[in-house]
Amino acid sequence: MAGNNAKESPRYTLTEVLQTALHQGLAVAAWRLPLQPEVQLCVSFTPQTTQEIPTLEPSPAGFLFCPFQADAVHPHIFLKADLSFSSITGELTQSPDAPDSQAAAFFQALENGVQRQSTNWPFPDSNPNQSDRTEETFQAAVSLAVDLIRAEAMEKVVLSRSHSVPLPDSFELTTAFEQMLSVYPNAFVSLTAIPGIGTWMGASPEVLVSVDKQQVFKTVALAGTQPASEDGSTANAIWRQKEIEEQGMVERYVLSCFKKLRLREYTEVGPRTVIAGNLMHLRTDFKVDLKEVDFPTLGTDMLRLLHPTSAVCGLPKEPALQFILANEGYNRSYYSGFLGPVNSAVGTHLFVNLRCMQLLETEAVLYAGAGITGESSPDKEWQETQHKLQTMFKILAEF
């Protein structure tokens, strides 16, 4: 036990640290893992960008923010945790190799209370190529996809759309983040603000790759969507053949990745019905105990094989991807990419960037997609995207 004269570390609030980072024009990510009380945050003085999916295992602690497809405007971004904050302790700690001068300037700004001045969030350097789809044009793209699937050009494709709405005059970033934490306890809730790249918030239901501190690897197959029942119970969920088959495709895709790596020792639980916000999905969980299976690079290997998963792209991957690029009518950028902490105190936990929005100066761009199979109805797929957009609408409506 420390002596009585040991100096206690100062305690800060999430809002103080987050707003100081924004005010200083630094890259920052804040997040909370599903069903956990702790909100974590990292500030990065020099974000690193790459066109390749980064290697996880030797990485320093930090946060990854990665696009659907990397290009010059939307690279994979790693925010090294130069400063780390925990809402449980209220402590802000400096990593041993963080530049002392920048860390000292940050702590000084924090002590001076600069965060109490009005704070803007970063916008992307180049305007996002948004063209909000009408119901008619989205349904036409779905019909075209169904025709190609029935002609056996592909098995499944995920079509998405963006929807821009004016930001409410009273919108406040940290309040919106706290709303998401409160409303979506089962989700991976995140806020990422990177100068030149922009500001994204979301509440994702889908684990892509996770390796916890017990060295257990996890991924999920998540597909099929219907509105959650009013009582929040899954007992009366009835799934149509279309959703069961769609979820089965994602499951088979995960298994095909294990097969490519010659991995046979895994456990599989599901499919079962799970609730994510205002929706229900079918989910199968896969686990590998890396203490028993000698596969130290499984996290990176599976990440590179899985992304973009059949839950956000389609099957087979190549024709589905080509259809998306030719027919969606916009660049997804970081929507349906992946994000999350890497080598943090609780491990590496990467989630698919779903149920999210991008914040511009005066508007929010919301994103949603639907899995199209040979059984799809264009009207039902439009309705599914409408339901998914509600996850972020609900947060904006609070203002």
Side-chain angles (χ1 to χ4, degrees):
M1 202 166 143
N4 291 339
N5 58 357
K7 190 181 175 190
E8 228 180 79
S9 302
R11 300 282 189 271
Y12 303 103
T13 66
L14 176 71
T15 299
E16 287 171 340
V17 180
L18 180 56
Q19 292 193 342
T20 300
L22 293 170
H23 190 271
Q24 299 277 94
L26 296 169
V28 60
W31 67 93
R32 189 213 56 210
L33 294 172
L35 301 170
Q36 295 299 313
E38 182 182 34
V39 180
Q40 293 170 284
L41 175 149
C42 75
V43 176
S44 183
F45 297 136
T46 46
Q48 294 151 19
T49 61
T50 169
Q51 293 297 308
E52 301 295 319
I53 289 179
T55 306
L56 303 176
E57 290 77 22
S59 171
F63 190 91
L64 269 179
F65 189 64
C66 298
F68 175 63
Q69 275 215 302
D71 57 34
V73 179
H74 309 105
H76 298 289
I77 303 169
F78 178 65
L79 305 184
K80 182 181 156 294
D82 289 312
L83 301 173
S84 302
F85 171 81
S86 160
S87 67
I88 301 277
T89 64
E91 286 183 13
L92 183 67
T93 52
Q94 177 184 345
S95 88
D97 56 353
D100 285 328
S101 58
Q102 283 175 284
F106 189 92
F107 279 103
Q108 188 63 57
L110 194 52
E111 293 301 328
N112 292 345
V114 297
Q115 76 280 350
R116 284 189 284 277
Q117 301 167 18
S118 74
T119 304
N120 274 333
W121 49 86
F123 317 124
D125 279 345
S126 56
N127 270 337
N129 156 31
Q130 293 315 135
S131 61
D132 292 357
R133 278 265 153 113
T134 63
E135 188 171 349
E136 290 71 26
T137 57
F138 182 79
Q139 290 190 11
V142 172
S143 295
L144 177 59
V146 170
D147 289 345
L148 285 169
I149 290 166
R150 288 178 180 170
E152 300 186 355
M154 52 189 172
E155 289 178 63
K156 170 192 172 178
V157 66
V158 178
L159 274 179
S160 74
R161 63 188 182 95
S162 60
H163 181 74
S164 306
V165 292
L167 274 176
D169 291 340
S170 59
F171 180 83
E172 208 281 312
L173 185 64
T174 47
T175 308
F177 181 61
E178 281 163 0
Q179 283 286 350
M180 287 199 311
L181 293 170
S182 153
V183 176
Y184 300 120
N186 299 336
F188 174 73
V189 173
S190 64
L191 164 60
T192 311
I194 305 170
I197 296 296
T199 304
W200 290 70
M201 306 176 75
S204 175
E206 186 169 349
V207 177
L208 180 59
V209 158
S210 123
V211 181
D212 64 20
K213 59 182 178 185
Q214 282 80 38
Q215 285 297 291
V216 175
F217 167 92
K218 291 178 191 163
T219 188
V220 304
L222 186 87
T225 303
Q226 61 176 288
S229 58
E230 283 184 19
D231 65 357
S233 161
T234 59
N236 298 317
I238 297 170
W239 293 98
R240 295 177 303 157
Q241 186 59 35
K242 185 254 174 186
E243 283 103 5
I244 293 166
E245 180 54 25
E246 192 189 340
Q247 203 273 338
M249 286 181 189
V250 181
E251 216 172 279
R252 292 194 292 276
Y253 181 68
V254 173
L255 292 172
S256 74
C257 293
F258 283 157
K259 197 171 177 181
K260 279 181 186 159
L261 298 173
R262 297 187 169 84
L263 180 78
R264 294 181 184 85
E265 299 85 1
Y266 58 85
T267 61
E268 179 181 347
V269 177
R272 58 202 173 91
T273 303
V274 296
I275 291 179
N278 56 326
L279 300 172
M280 293 193 289
H281 304 287
L282 282 168
R283 188 175 94 187
T284 301
D285 292 74
F286 298 90
K287 288 184 188 178
V288 179
D289 189 336
L290 296 175
K291 296 187 294 296
E292 295 172 8
V293 179
D294 184 23
F295 210 133
T297 61
L298 184 62
T300 299
D301 292 346
M302 280 297 284
L303 178 61
R304 289 176 177 165
L305 286 173
L306 285 170
H307 180 72
T309 72
S310 56
V312 298
C313 181
L315 280 172
K317 192 183 282 191
E318 208 40 54
L321 182 58
Q322 291 314 313
F323 184 87
I324 288 167
L325 297 177
N327 293 283
E328 270 191 345
Y330 81 109
N331 188 321
R332 289 187 185 186
S333 121
Y334 290 89
Y335 164 66
S336 73
F338 58 92
L339 73 172
V342 176
N343 293 332
S344 72
V346 293
T348 293
H349 302 278
L350 301 176
F351 289 75
V352 185
N353 194 16
L354 302 173
R355 314 291 190 273
C356 60
M357 61 181 168
Q358 182 180 19
L359 299 177
L360 303 178
E361 194 164 1
T362 58
E363 62 181 4
V365 184
L366 285 61
Y367 298 86
I372 315 303
T373 69
E375 307 297 308
S376 285
S377 138
D379 179 56
K380 284 198 169 80
E381 302 304 345
W382 171 263
Q383 290 304 328
E384 180 172 319
T385 62
Q386 290 286 76
H387 289 312
K388 287 174 175 172
L389 290 172
Q390 291 305 317
T391 307
M392 289 297 111
F393 270 136
K394 194 170 179 178
I395 299 303
L396 293 174
E398 296 290 334
F399 297 91

